[in-house]
Every structure is written in C-alpha cells, then in structure tokens.
C-alpha cells in the first residue's frame, strides 16, 4: 500500500459515519490538531503555475481596461500557497475556508511566506510593470454570500477561480450546488481552472477525497445545479443532456507535465468559460 492510499484511508475514516452537516467541524478538527494534513504539500501545484504561463493568452492581462486588477478565488485555499502564486501573476487573490483554524494557519503562513524555501520558484513577481496583487484568506461558507464582500466587493464576480481538489473534499450530494455556485461567482468573461484529482480512485471506496474522473465535471457543468446520474458502481453516467444557458464549457483539457507526486500520471487540468466566451 502506498503512502498516498494510507493517507486517504486515514482521512476517509475521520469522516466515516459523520453526518454531512458536521463535515466542516471535522475539517476544523484536523486543522486545529495540525499533525495530519495530507493535502498540504507545502507549495503550490506546479500545474497551476504552468497553466498560467501556457494559457496567458486565454486569461489575458491580470489588469482590466480601467487599470484595476482582476480578482482570483481559491475555495478551500489551505495555507494560501496558491494565493501568493496568483498574486505574483498580478491578480488580487482571495481564498475562502470554512475552518477558523485553517484561516489562522493561512494568516500565519501568508505573513511569513518570503522565508519559505519550498516554493521559491512560484512566488517571484512575473511582470514588474504589472506588479503583484493582494492576497487574503477569509472565513466563510463557500455556498453563502457573507464572505464575498470582504474579497474586493460583490459586483462583477471573480475573473479566475481555481478549484484545486476542493470538489473532491465535498460529499457527492453537494456536487450540483458546487456547479451552481461556480456559475454565481464567476465573472461574465471569467475562467474556471480545475485540478482534477483523484481521477482513478474507485468510486465505491468513498472519501474524502471522493473519486473525480473528468466526466464528473462535464456532467455537473453542462447543467449547473442539476443532479447527475450514477450507476450501480457509483460511477457517474455520461449523458447527452442539453446545455443550460448558465452552462460552463470546457475549452481545454490535458494531463499536466508537472503536478504533485500523488497525482503524477493521473491528474488532469481543465479550463472552463461561459457559453459564447
């Protein structure tokens, strides 16, 4: 048994027979103890860094026509590694965590990230003329609006949203709500980047992390907010349902050359935008 699967088994057992409404408090328990955080790799996934470079023409300038910075959101941002990376690319980067102890851990790391040697490759300012944006982790429920106002205002939505295994931490019953919420938070011409993991895990093995093959995203985002179908093995059924007006379309999909060790050879990256964009 690999260390990755051992960690997944231990993480899954932490949530076994726990009612879904209590899951946030169970995540908070892990952050409070801080001795078992298997999802924390100590630095950003290099797949995000490479995506921001290779798809710079897709995302455009991190500055709007009026000179204001575009805003990026990372749900379940952990200690905030991705926030500093996105800031280095010129975005105002915000993370949201539904764990007070996770927010404290992020505030502590963000206050001293320049001393962290693990992620030096990712944190340097990409363009001195553009400069770097702010970075901040806030406490709140991703599915509610209370935290949005503290992230640069509620108007216009986020220009870039990065889901780095956030969906895999949610019980499958919340998947339709996740898709609907993404359409609420994404700016009209914004982009959603998904780091898809774990893609090869048997669905019946449970979670978190829950199995997330690419078809899950396709089925969720074609009709955001609607339930999706599963077969007897717990696998998501691929359908040919008509797109909703609120649908997000996948505009690129590939296996990254670089990713965290646990996902090498199985991770996928996808980019999504609104219909017609």
């Amino acid at each position: 048994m690999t260390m990755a699967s051992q960690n997944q088994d231990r993480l899954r057992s932490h949530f076994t027979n726990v009612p879904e409404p209590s899951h946030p408090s169970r995540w908070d328990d892990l952050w409070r103890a801080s001795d078992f955080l298997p999802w924390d790799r100590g630095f950003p996934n290099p797949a995000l860094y490479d995506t921001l470079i290779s798809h710079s023409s897709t995302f455009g300038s991190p500055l709007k026509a009026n000179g204001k910075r575009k805003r990026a959101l990372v749900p379940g941002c952990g200690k905030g590694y991705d926030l500093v990376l996105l800031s280095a690319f010129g975005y105002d980067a915000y993370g949201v965590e539904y764990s007070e102890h996770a927010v404290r851990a992020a505030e502590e790391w963000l206050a001293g990230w320049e001393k962290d040697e693990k992620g030096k490759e990712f944190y340097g300012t990409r363009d001195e003329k553009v400069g770097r944006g702010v970075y901040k982790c806030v406490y709140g429920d991703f599915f509610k609006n209370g935290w949005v106002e503290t992230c640069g205002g509620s108007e216009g939505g986020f220009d870039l949203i990065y889901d780095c295994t956030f969906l895999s931490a949610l019980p499958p019953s919340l998947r339709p709500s996740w898709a609907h919420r993404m359409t609420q938070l994404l700016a009209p011409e914004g982009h959603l980047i998904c780091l898809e993991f774990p893609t090869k895990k048997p669905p019946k093995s449970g979670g978190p992390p829950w199995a997330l093959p690419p078809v899950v995203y396709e089925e969720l985002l074609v009709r955001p907010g609607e339930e999706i179908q599963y077969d007897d093995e717990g696998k998501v059924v691929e359908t040919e349902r008509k797109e909703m007006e609120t649908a997000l379309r996948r505009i690129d999909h590939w296996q990254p050359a670089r990713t965290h060790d646990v996902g090498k050879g199985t991770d996928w990256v996808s980019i999504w935008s609104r219909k017609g964009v």
Side-chain angles (χ1 to χ4, degrees), residues 14-269:
H14 184 72
F15 291 86
T16 300
N17 298 323
V18 176
E20 289 182 10
S22 298
H23 279 208
S25 65
R26 296 294 282 175
W27 287 109
D28 194 51
D29 289 343
L30 292 172
W31 279 106
R32 180 173 59 247
S34 74
D35 60 346
F36 179 66
L37 304 173
W39 58 87
D40 187 341
R41 312 295 174 193
F43 57 94
N45 193 312
L48 173 61
Y49 179 84
D50 294 343
T51 297
L52 293 172
I53 293 175
S54 64
H55 288 71
S56 59
S57 60
T58 300
F59 305 131
S61 171
L63 300 180
K64 299 180 180 180
N66 61 9
K68 291 186 177 180
R69 294 191 184 278
K70 293 180 179 178
R71 293 186 300 159
L73 173 68
V74 183
C77 68
K79 291 184 180 178
Y81 311 124
D82 300 318
L83 305 184
V84 177
L85 188 159
L86 289 162
S87 165
F89 274 79
Y91 293 90
D92 281 342
Y94 300 93
V96 58
E97 274 286 355
Y98 203 12
S99 159
E100 292 183 355
H101 288 89
V103 174
R104 292 177 192 173
E107 289 174 342
E108 181 179 348
W109 186 84
L110 290 171
W113 67 266
E114 292 175 287
K115 300 176 183 178
D116 195 318
E117 294 295 327
K118 287 185 179 180
K120 286 292 186 181
E121 171 190 357
F122 307 107
Y123 303 140
T125 302
R126 287 289 304 173
D127 186 337
E128 293 296 341
K129 292 182 179 179
V130 172
R132 64 189 308 139
V134 301
Y135 43 84
K136 182 179 181 181
C137 175
V138 301
Y139 172 75
D141 183 344
F142 170 75
F143 297 100
K144 298 179 180 179
N145 287 328
W147 55 272
V148 177
E149 197 65 38
T150 63
C151 298
S154 57
E155 296 297 322
F158 293 91
D159 303 283
L160 189 70
I161 302 178
Y162 176 48
D163 186 299
C164 182
T165 71
F166 176 65
L167 179 58
S168 72
L170 298 176
S173 63
L174 289 178
R175 288 173 174 177
S177 298
W178 170 91
H180 177 63
R181 186 61 169 150
M182 285 299 183
T183 66
Q184 291 180 321
L185 293 170
L186 192 65
E189 297 185 358
H191 293 90
L192 167 65
I193 303 173
C194 295
L195 191 290
E196 301 173 4
F197 167 91
T199 63
K200 296 296 184 181
K201 184 178 180 181
K204 280 197 169 182
S205 63
W210 303 89
L212 278 180
V215 66
V216 177
Y217 297 85
E218 295 177 72
E219 287 297 308
L220 287 172
L221 294 172
V222 70
R223 298 190 66 82
E226 288 193 0
E227 296 292 336
I228 56 178
Q229 300 176 31
Y230 298 86
D231 65 16
D232 293 341
E233 296 298 315
K235 296 179 180 179
V236 172
V237 177
E238 185 174 2
T239 65
E240 296 183 358
R241 295 178 298 162
K242 185 178 179 181
E243 284 184 335
M244 280 179 147
E245 280 303 310
T246 56
L248 297 184
R249 287 180 174 171
R250 192 173 67 187
I251 60 175
D252 208 347
H253 192 224
W254 71 97
Q255 285 197 278
R258 298 197 301 165
T259 189
H260 287 315
D261 288 345
V262 68
K264 284 184 177 178
T266 59
D267 281 357
W268 286 81
V269 177

